[in-house]
């Protein structure tokens, strides 16, 4: 009873002292780190399956099924073998893959902890935009990661074609996984660009008409970015990244144009019957000062009634 009586009620607006903010941040971080550690330990038992999931498509596209003597007699085709260098490399690679899987698969937990820490300080309309951002951003990121996963075998085959003839290519597994992670992040984050443009339009920062006027520059910029972001030189991989972003950009532009038209129609209709109109707080000129005659009930004062510049009220 004493503890419940002493317990302070939470502020409905999410305000709290700095010490309570730091204490809550510590608790949220502890829960997020605990979830990552638990998932990392579980993923450590399946790290070989995780590695095979990422490397099998590439190995199937450029893998060597022949012996060295058979490769020496072959005059066409280029293949590669995935290898590990060093005694400690398998152990460090297992830790890296397990930790990466822990961060990815525990993302619902630490994203919720992050949201629970930030949400009390947001207004209602800001929370609505944040829900839409998270609900749309995750599928877009996964879509970009899927495109990266599908284009990696083609990219590896094209890159290995630059190898001299009669040579066996050896791909270090740790370097290959780093390349896969970078490609997944680049593709996934690139797919978030249209969502960012939509959010800027919803908040009134950017109009759909302006976005539509940028279409030539955006196509060139997206193409250049795709050419730089993809390590291969073939146009297929570049178009695999640039093409979906072009489509998403025009979808975001169309949504913004329709949203601007909806805003204009709503503003033209004015406020609803049960909605308060906006107050016009712009200051206006009041004109000249109007003189008001003195009331007859007040006694007239003469200059002799003033002492040292003040009225003598006695």
């Amino acid at each position: 009873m004493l503890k419940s009586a002493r317990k302070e009620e939470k502020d409905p607006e999410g305000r709290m002292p700095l010490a309570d903010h730091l204490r809550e941040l510590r608790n949220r971080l502890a829960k997020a780190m605990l979830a990552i550690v638990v998932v990392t330990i579980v993923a450590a038992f399946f790290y070989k399956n995780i590695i095979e999931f990422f490397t099998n498509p590439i190995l199937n596209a450029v893998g060597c099924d022949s012996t060295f003597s058979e490769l020496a007699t072959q005059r066409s085709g280029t293949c590669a073998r995935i290898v590990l260098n060093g005694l400690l490399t398998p152990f460090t690679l297992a830790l890296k893959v397990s930790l990466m899987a822990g961060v990815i698969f525990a993302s619902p937990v630490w994203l919720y902890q992050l949201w629970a820490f930030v949400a009390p300080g947001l207004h209602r309309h800001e929370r609505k935009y944040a829900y839409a951002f998270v609900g749309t951003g995750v599928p877009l990121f996964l879509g970009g990661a899927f495109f990266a996963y599908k284009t990696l075998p083609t990219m590896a085959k094209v890159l290995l074609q630059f190898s001299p003839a009669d040579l066996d290519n050896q791909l270090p597994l740790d370097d290959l996984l780093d390349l896969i992670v970078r490609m997944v992040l680049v593709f996934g984050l690139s797919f978030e660009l249209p969502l960012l443009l939509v959010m800027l339009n919803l908040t009134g920062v950017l109009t759909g008409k302006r976005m539509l006027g940028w279409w030539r520059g955006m196509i060139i910029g997206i193409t250049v970015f795709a050419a730089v972001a993809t390590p291969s030189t073939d146009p297929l991989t570049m178009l695999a990244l640039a093409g979906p972003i072009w489509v998403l950009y025009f979808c975001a532009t169309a949504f913004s144009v329709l949203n601007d038209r909806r805003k204009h129609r709503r503003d033209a209709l004015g406020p609803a019957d049960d909605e308060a109109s906006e107050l016009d707080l712009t200051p206006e000129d009041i004109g000249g000062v109007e003189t008001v005659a003195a009331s007859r009930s007040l006694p007239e004062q003469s200059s002799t009634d003033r002492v040292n510049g003040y009225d003598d009220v006695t």
Side-chain angles (χ1 to χ4, degrees), residues 66 74 98 109 136 154-155 173 205 272 286 297:
S66 305
Q74 292 177 0
S98 301
V109 178
T136 311
T154 304
M155 179 194 68
L173 182 56
V205 178
I286 60 175
S297 62

Side-chain angles (χ1 to χ4, degrees), residues 76-300:
S76 62
T78 304
C79 59
R81 285 187 175 90
I82 299 178
V83 298
L84 288 174
N85 297 322
L87 181 62
L88 298 178
T89 302
F91 178 73
T92 56
L93 185 63
L95 291 179
K96 183 189 297 186
V97 172
S98 301
L99 181 60
M100 180 183 66
V103 173
I104 293 175
F105 291 111
S107 58
V109 178
W110 57 263
L111 282 176
Y112 170 77
Q113 297 299 327
L114 177 63
W115 171 251
F117 180 74
V118 176
L122 299 177
H123 297 288
R124 183 174 300 178
H125 68 282
E126 293 174 338
R127 295 180 186 180
K128 178 180 65 176
Y129 290 153
Y131 282 131
F133 184 86
V134 174
T136 311
V138 173
L140 286 176
F141 183 86
L142 294 178
F146 176 77
F147 269 91
Y149 182 76
K150 288 298 183 181
T151 56
L152 278 171
T154 304
M155 179 194 68
K157 185 180 297 185
V158 172
L159 290 176
L160 290 180
Q161 289 178 357
F162 292 93
S163 301
D166 302 332
L167 290 181
D168 186 24
N169 292 277
Q170 295 183 351
L171 307 179
L173 182 56
D174 49 351
D175 294 340
L176 182 60
L177 289 178
D178 290 340
L179 176 62
I180 293 173
V181 171
R182 287 199 301 269
M183 289 292 295
V184 168
L185 290 178
V186 168
F187 275 63
L189 294 178
S190 300
F191 275 50
E192 302 291 338
L193 173 63
L195 179 61
L196 177 61
L197 295 176
V198 170
M199 296 302 295
L200 291 177
N201 177 260
L202 291 176
T203 54
V205 178
L206 190 61
T207 62
K209 184 178 180 181
R210 179 172 296 181
M211 292 170 54
L212 187 60
W214 290 349
W215 71 272
R216 296 181 181 87
M218 290 298 295
I219 288 180
I220 296 175
I222 292 172
T223 305
V224 173
F225 170 78
V228 175
T230 53
S232 63
T233 57
D234 64 305
L236 182 61
T237 306
M238 181 190 69
L239 292 177
L241 175 59
I245 302 179
W246 291 340
V247 176
L248 292 174
Y249 168 74
F250 284 109
C251 290
T253 302
F255 174 86
S256 301
V257 171
L258 295 176
N259 182 57
D260 292 341
R261 292 179 180 177
R262 181 184 61 84
K263 287 182 180 179
H264 291 325
R265 288 196 301 266
R266 185 183 60 185
D267 295 340
L269 294 176
D273 296 336
D274 57 348
E275 182 181 359
S277 59
E278 297 182 359
L279 296 177
D280 187 5
L281 303 179
T282 305
E284 297 181 356
D285 187 10
I286 60 175
V289 179
E290 182 180 359
T291 58
V292 180
S295 176
R296 294 182 179 180
S297 62
L298 295 177
E300 296 182 358

